[in-house]
Every structure is written in C-alpha cells, then in structure tokens.
Amino acid sequence: MPFDLARQRDYVASLDLSGIPRPIVAQSAADDAGEVFDKAKQQAQVVGSGVFSFATGVDEEVRTAISDSALLAQLLANKRADSETDPLGWFKVYADVLQNVGWVLQEGTFDDYTSSGNAAEVHDKIIEVMTAALAPSPATIVILAATIKALSEQDPNTSWLQIFSRESQKAKIGRFQVGLVETDEKGDVFVSLLACLIQSDVTFTHVLFFNYRQAHATFKARANKVSINRDSLQALHADI
C-alpha cells in the first residue's frame, strides 16, 4: 500500500474504540520471565493475544511502534468481530488495521496443520510450523525458541501470561499471533508473522500448553512474511 501519511492519519483518527469491554496491555516478557530474558532484555513483548520476539538490531523505536500498532489492531478487532463465533473475521479486521498503518501483508488463507509434523502440544507446534512455513534465519529461530520455552516454563499465574491467556482463548477456541521481528543489512524491518487458530470440542484453560492431538482438536495457521514501512509506521506512531 503506497505511503500516504495524510490518508493514514485520517484513518487512525477515524477509528472508534469506545465500548471495548476491557483494555489490553502490552508488557515486556522480561518483566516476569527468568534467565532467558535477563540475558536479552526487551527481546520479547506480549501484546494482548500476540507474542513478538525481536532480533538484535531492531531498535527500541521500531519495537515500540510495532507493539503499539499490533495493540491498536487487536482493540479494533475485538470491537468489530466476535472471536468466538467468527475467529476468521477477527483476524481479517486485525490484518486490515495493520495494512493501513504501514504493515505490508500478503493475502493468505489458513492452512490445516493438524495432521502434519510430530508436535502434539501447541507451544511445540508454533516452532515447527513457523520453521517450515517461513524459514527464518537460524539466529532468529533461537530467539523464538527461547521465547516459547520461557512461556512454557512460566507459572500460569504470572501477569503477562495471564494477559496472553485472557485475550487469546475463549473456551473451545484459541486464536493468537506470534511475530518474529528482524532487520536486514539495509536496515529494513521484516516480521515473520504466524496467526494461529485452535478449535476444539473440549474446553481448555491454557492454549499454549494444550495437547490438540489428544483432544482431537484442529490446529490451523496462516504464515506471512511481512515487510514494515518504517517511515509510515514511525510517522504514525504518535497518532496510534
């Protein structure tokens, strides 16, 4: 989408977020996680139902702009679509907002990964699918794996995991995003973005630790290699 700052500012100003039942917050995983994030502070961010891992070289201004735009997209999706009855509609609103504020996404469909690969639990499946579908660099896969490992080892009562769980699951449906953010040698920013949808016949309490094979649930995902219009996103950050 061409960069048109005036149009994009008008778009952000036009968004009505009134009536949203409860706020979503963004929180650094380093705030509550253990040694993994003590060694690499601010390389992971929980944004409602999203988890973003940041590779070395992604500066703080870009990290904040990415997190805040993802937060805006979730808030509007929460207002315009019921994630329990229409999870695909929720993801569509989410993607539309991101495209309007500087994320360059390709159209795609959700693929069914239920019967592929060896993973049985959701947190393992994330790594498996993202590695196969997006082929990120080995260095950034290490960061993603550390993020997911820290998630899986946390007490479910930690505040940032509670935020993620509250926003990502509705009884028998789980939907969330995992983003792996990196820069290339030119300084351009890219996000390996994986949108995940789990649908089950049984209620689950912690979606990341859910054994979807055992429960005969489905695991669907949409993988996208996203480029970020840095100028657009940074110029719009104050408006967002």
Side-chain angles (χ1 to χ4, degrees):
M1 184 177 295
F3 175 39
D4 183 343
L5 183 58
R7 184 199 63 77
Q8 290 172 307
R9 281 182 167 155
D10 287 343
Y11 169 79
V12 173
S14 73
L15 298 180
D16 179 11
L17 299 179
S18 61
I20 296 174
R22 58 189 175 194
I24 304 173
V25 299
Q27 183 172 354
S28 170
D31 293 344
D32 285 313
E35 187 177 359
V36 169
F37 294 115
D38 289 340
K39 292 179 179 177
K41 280 188 179 293
Q42 298 183 349
Q43 285 193 322
Q45 188 86 4
V46 172
V47 185
S49 62
V51 180
F52 291 88
S53 298
F54 297 92
T56 302
V58 182
D59 60 74
E60 183 176 355
E61 186 178 2
V62 171
R63 289 198 304 264
T64 304
I66 285 175
S67 297
D68 287 348
S69 58
L71 182 62
L72 176 67
Q74 289 185 58
L75 288 168
L76 197 68
N78 283 356
K79 179 169 184 177
R80 293 186 176 176
D82 187 327
S83 62
E84 188 168 1
T85 59
D86 186 18
L88 296 181
W90 189 98
F91 278 116
K92 184 179 187 310
V93 176
Y94 179 82
D96 286 347
V97 175
L98 294 181
Q99 289 184 36
N100 276 286
V101 297
W103 295 53
V104 184
L105 288 80
Q106 300 298 319
E107 292 292 333
T109 59
F110 277 79
D111 294 316
D112 192 337
Y113 292 95
T114 304
S115 60
S116 65
N118 299 315
E121 295 198 348
V122 170
H123 63 91
D124 292 324
K125 194 66 175 179
I126 293 167
I127 303 292
E128 184 180 271
V129 172
M130 185 168 274
T131 302
L134 293 168
S137 68
T140 49
I141 275 292
V142 169
I143 296 171
L144 177 64
T147 301
I148 301 302
K149 182 175 184 291
L151 278 167
S152 65
E153 292 177 349
Q154 286 300 298
D155 182 332
N157 294 318
T158 52
S159 59
W160 63 287
L161 192 53
Q162 285 185 323
I163 291 166
F164 177 80
S165 296
R166 185 192 72 190
E167 298 299 333
S168 65
Q169 58 197 47
K170 303 291 183 183
K172 299 179 181 181
I173 289 182
R175 54 112 188 97
F176 58 90
Q177 306 73 239
V178 177
L180 188 57
V181 187
E182 54 192 321
T183 58
D184 64 10
E185 63 278 1
K186 298 178 183 178
D188 294 328
V189 182
F190 297 90
V191 183
S192 299
L193 187 64
L194 188 71
C196 301
L197 176 61
I198 295 94
Q199 294 174 292
S200 172
D201 290 331
V202 299
T203 299
F204 49 87
T205 56
H206 298 295
V207 65
L208 286 175
F209 319 129
F210 179 60
N211 189 312
Y212 65 93
R213 289 186 186 276
Q214 192 175 68
H216 304 290
T218 60
F219 185 104
K220 297 179 181 178
R222 182 176 64 199
N224 216 322
K225 190 75 171 184
V226 182
S227 60
I228 300 291
N229 187 320
R230 181 195 288 261
D231 292 338
S232 175
L233 191 59
Q234 290 181 318
L236 279 172
H237 191 198
D239 301 83
I240 292 172

